[in-house]
Amino acid sequence: MFWITGLFNSLAFAAVLFLLAAGFSLIFGLMRVANLTHGAFFMLGGYLATSAIGAGFWIAIVAAGAGCALLGGLVQHLLVQRLAGRELAQVLGTLGLSFIVADQCLLIWSGDPISLAPPAFLQGAARLGMFAFPLYRLFLIVVAAFVAIALWLVVERTTLGAKIRAAVDDREMARATGIPVSRLFTVVFCLGSALAGIGGALAAPVLSVYPGLDTEMLPLALLVVILGGIGSLAGALIGSVLIGIIYTFGQILLPDLSYVILFLPMVIVLAVRPEGLLGRQAA
Amino acid sequence: MKTVGIIFITAIACILPFLLPGNFYLGIATQILVYGLFAVSVNTLAGYGGMVSLGHAGFLGIAAYAYAVTSGTYGFSPWIAVGAALLIGTAAAAVFGLIALRTSGLSFLMITLALGQIVWGVAFRYTDLTNGDNGISLGRASVISADPLTLYYVCLAVLALVMVLLAAFIRSPLGAAIKGVRDQPRRMSTLGYNTWAIRYVAYLVSGFVATVSGILYVQIFQFISPHALSLTVSSEAVLMVIAGGIGTLFGPLLGAGVVVLLKNVASAYTDRWPTLLGCIFLFIIIAMPEGLLPGSKRILAGMIGSFRKGAAPSASLQPTSRAR
Amino acid sequence: MSALELNNLSKSFGGLHVISDVSFKVMEGERRLILGPNGAGKTTLFNLIAGDLAPSFGTISLAGEDVSALPTNRRAARGIGRTFQILTLFSGETVIRNVVLASLGRTSRRWKPFGSLDADEEFRASAMEILRTVMLDYIADKCVSETSYGERRRLEIAMALAQQPRLLLLDEPLAGLSKEERKGVEGLLNALPRSLTVIMIEHDMDVALGFADRIALLQNGKLLVDGSRDEVIADPRTKEAYLAE
Ligand SMILES: Nc1ncnc2c1ncn2[C@@H]1O[C@H](COP(=O)(O)OP(=O)(O)OP(=O)(O)O)[C@@H](O)[C@H]1O
Ligand SMILES: [Mg+2]
């Protein structure tokens, strides 16, 4: 009973983590940019959704995604591209930006947690024998699974995906063969940021939105990516489930030390495979 | 020339308390010393070792909490608490180093950020030990001294001692090896150096200095809460290092002075410090990535150069600064 | 006794077989040339010997001891010194500082956390000695970033010599040099002590053939021909694979 519910909640949390981490991993894998604004986009997505909820749940989600995509595109154009080739400057630039975004959110939406009501048809729970699964969490898991499949299809089956894969493998070669690498970068940056925003919006009914949500989620996403292997979608999926389970059960069983337990998978995975579970072996 | 500068600045630092109008300013000066020491620890790793950590506030926090719990909660004498904090902080660095050094480059940066946030999470959640968000306050009896003037000189002495030792360390064979591993790790292992162990040493030294700064931190504020080990604090230290000039001995102190002063001045007018911090980050990174001093020199030289060029077209444009 | 012995050495990157089943022996004091067209896997072979890459299969023995599992630095301690085809120097430091770092690496003083390295007269003197042999003593205190390409090539060799190796691996020491510069380096190579075992990768036939006792020819990661200089030159496969180019 306890284990089943716990596992279910873990998967719901993993779904949110995946939406966050997949975008980060995609951007990192393609561009070698660790976009530390990603956590702030997650939070911003949540806030945008709470403001747009008047127009309906779906519009709110789309607004969150579109807002973050737009901002992500700007970040890529005005900051990341300008600092091309300077890895450290790019990371620190996005870090600085994350402070600005988070602080402006605090200014606009104040310091109190804001929660978001799920749409009527997703309220309540599905009953299965003696178990009750909240519908909205079920919905989260379905959405994440859907996004995972869609991303996989895009990367593996479309020309855009082929170009992305080519650019990940060898950026210079891709450029030489006429792939518009910098436009590709912008597309991927927008896509990744949109995923973060949508993740934040979808998580709002469960986690609610509050200042500090960004710095709480960002390290979890980093852990997911480090564990799963940078740039690997399947890795992000496995990492999300792993962290989701450990974090959720940790909070139930050892609330004081739920953060310490996060060390565990990190230590084990890094000891055995420093490049992450599905990461590429460094030459 | 350089020696003269150092003597001059040391002399100023020694008589500074008598030049400042009151304890408020003395407090800020002391903060600069402590944050300066913290920035020096980040620079040891980032500037000389080539490894940028975004989780160093974790060490500051672990040391400060270790001190506060030992002396405050359990009532041991301040000196025993200092010993305990040194031990626990350095031990934490030893463990974190093992984890973080499995990776390098951006992955290292990401792992240190995650490690720092884990420590923050523990400070926040493990309320039995840390009193959670409320933090731990220490009475006057639990710190080495509560007198602002004594504290200033204690911090100054510790900082000076660390700087002297660090300067010697950087010039030593091991220090040269650390810089060598930063610049050409592949060549270094070909030459017989154990690059992992050398990086680990740099990590330990850096963690130890951060631990010392954490002990000073809790002395001057007589208080520690999770905010002291947030990502913002780690980032501020990185900003201090870059602003002052990464990989220079005294740069981080200059950077700490600038950032702490700005923070205090800004707090009088606005509570949007994070926004300001972010803007400073972007400004430094885009406009003067080599640090404030060389950056302003370069920009000034450029302005004077273009001015001269406008006034007297015959004057040649000499390159005034050399990239290092 | 053999200074180096490779047994069935193989290395692949993903599906790409860069070294396939290479076995050969190098005797002590031998001067061995490795020939092969671009992309044959010569540098990869050096990386395997030096320890920068782990073999997919096979073993490497140094003076009878299996070193396959040792990391690069431990192999250096057992007497492997190497130069890099792509210059790998400390370009922000002075020329002599580069050499000092190289000689420091084989002493336990590399762990000393105090005392100025620059003030160490002993290291400086021995580094000067080596700089004289490669004719770089006149720019000892110049920053590497201000030296010419030819000087840097010689510094590559100086650093390997400073390691006092028993087995010296030279990866295209003449690459990109002018005719006169080649003469200088050639003289330098021929003046190496006969007791030192040297394996050299080099495309410049005039210099390389004059230097080598024995030659191994590598093509597509396979050892095509292995034998004395005259045998290999006479072998028709050599002409086909390499000299005909
Ligand atoms: N780390 C690596 N990952 C994948 N492929 C590699 C790697 N290193 C080398 N290769 C491939 O292995 C092959 C052999 O490379 P290597 O550098 O050993 O050639 P070489 O004989 O030294 O050539 P050259 O004369 O140009 O120096 C090349 O096709 C190269 O692309
Ligand atoms: Mg080669």
Side-chain angles (χ1 to χ4, degrees), chain C residues 56-199:
Chain C
S56 312
F57 190 79
T59 60
I60 300 160
S61 300
L62 207 61
E65 182 197 7
D66 186 349
V67 295
S68 314
L70 293 184
T72 305
N73 61 305
R74 304 268 299 276
R75 293 193 204 182
R78 278 167 178 66
I80 295 186
R82 83 173 283 192
T83 71
F84 290 89
Q85 182 179 359
I86 298 167
L87 293 172
T88 308
L89 303 168
F90 302 97
S91 49
E93 308 277 3
T94 60
V95 168
I96 191 158
R97 182 57 175 271
N98 273 263
V99 180
V100 166
L101 269 175
S103 14
L104 178 66
R106 68 186 156 73
T107 71
S108 59
R109 260 184 289 174
R110 65 183 186 277
W111 291 112
K112 209 173 109 186
F114 50 83
S116 167
L117 178 59
D118 287 325
D120 197 315
E121 285 304 325
E122 199 183 318
F123 274 124
R124 198 182 154 85
S126 71
M128 264 327 250
E129 192 72 30
I130 289 162
L131 284 180
R132 259 193 291 280
T133 59
V134 299
M135 300 161 295
L136 284 178
D137 46 330
Y138 66 103
I139 49 162
D141 290 306
K142 214 170 174 182
C143 185
V144 172
S145 59
E146 291 161 14
T147 59
S148 74
Y149 179 78
E151 289 162 345
R152 290 181 205 182
R153 270 272 160 243
R154 293 211 294 279
L155 182 54
E156 270 285 338
I157 299 173
M159 291 186 70
L161 292 180
Q163 294 181 259
Q164 297 188 354
R166 293 198 320 205
L167 170 64
L168 177 62
L169 308 176
L170 299 169
D171 197 344
E172 306 203 12
L174 302 175
L177 296 185
S178 72
K179 208 152 206 145
E180 289 103 86
E181 286 171 331
R182 275 161 196 257
K183 275 275 161 286
V185 176
E186 183 181 8
L188 167 74
L189 294 179
N190 286 327
L192 289 176
R194 277 305 321 195
S195 57
L196 180 62
T197 315
V198 185
I199 307 180

Side-chain angles (χ1 to χ4, degrees), chain B residues 33-304:
Chain B
L33 297 177
V34 174
Y35 280 111
L37 186 60
F38 182 50
V40 164
S41 82
V42 172
N43 183 46
T44 308
L45 195 60
Y48 298 109
M51 296 169 276
V52 180
S53 160
L54 277 177
H56 247 50
F59 297 131
L60 184 148
I62 288 174
Y65 271 110
Y67 183 94
V69 169
T70 318
S71 92
T73 317
Y74 291 110
F76 284 98
S77 85
W79 291 108
I80 291 182
V82 167
L86 280 178
L87 213 67
I88 294 172
T90 314
V95 174
F96 285 13
L98 286 180
I99 301 172
L101 284 176
R102 294 291 295 170
T103 61
S104 59
L106 289 180
S107 298
F108 177 87
L109 193 131
M110 283 157 55
I111 288 200
T112 51
L113 193 160
L115 285 173
Q117 289 302 100
I118 287 177
V119 176
W120 171 85
V122 173
F124 196 71
R125 296 280 175 82
Y126 196 1
T127 42
D128 290 351
L129 188 70
T130 64
N131 203 19
D133 202 20
N134 296 326
I136 303 176
S137 291
L138 293 178
R140 299 175 66 92
S142 302
V143 290
I144 292 168
S145 165
D147 169 45
L149 195 62
T150 315
L151 275 178
Y152 176 85
Y153 281 112
V154 167
C155 292
L156 183 63
V158 172
L159 178 66
L161 180 67
V162 171
M163 294 307 283
V164 168
L165 290 177
L166 212 55
F169 179 67
I170 296 304
R171 291 168 55 199
S172 73
L174 185 53
I178 288 175
K179 286 193 278 182
V181 171
R182 172 194 67 190
D183 295 335
Q184 288 289 11
R186 184 123 184 259
R187 168 67 81 175
M188 288 300 275
S189 51
T190 302
L191 293 177
Y193 295 88
N194 182 340
T195 52
W196 182 88
I198 287 169
R199 287 201 176 105
Y200 191 59
V201 168
Y203 196 94
L204 284 183
V205 171
S206 167
F208 177 79
V209 176
T211 298
V212 174
S213 74
I215 296 172
L216 293 182
Y217 178 97
V218 73
Q219 305 297 322
I220 67 170
F221 291 107
Q222 297 184 19
F223 175 69
I224 178 75
S225 79
H227 296 280
L229 31 96
S230 65
L231 177 58
T232 314
V233 174
S234 294
S235 314
E236 281 169 4
V238 173
L239 178 64
M240 291 169 190
V241 170
I242 298 178
I246 191 164
T248 60
L249 201 54
F250 291 96
L253 300 183
L254 172 73
V258 171
V259 173
V260 172
L261 281 180
L262 273 177
K263 192 173 179 174
N264 277 284
V265 171
S267 71
Y269 301 99
T270 165
D271 42 78
R272 297 266 77 84
W273 168 244
T275 297
L276 188 60
L277 176 67
C279 292
I280 304 172
F281 247 101
L282 293 177
F283 171 74
I284 299 272
I285 284 164
I286 293 171
M288 33 184 78
E290 70 272 57
L292 288 174
L293 276 190
S296 340
K297 240 192 250 168
R298 171 175 54 80
I299 289 171
L300 263 178
M303 270 160 44
I304 293 170

Side-chain angles (χ1 to χ4, degrees), chain A residues 149-172:
Chain A
I149 294 171
L151 279 178
W152 182 79
L153 284 177
V154 167
V155 172
E156 297 294 330
R157 292 291 153 85
T158 64
T159 37
L160 174 69
K163 286 177 187 169
I164 292 179
R165 273 179 292 134
V168 169
D169 279 345
D170 191 336
R171 194 183 300 174
E172 292 318 312

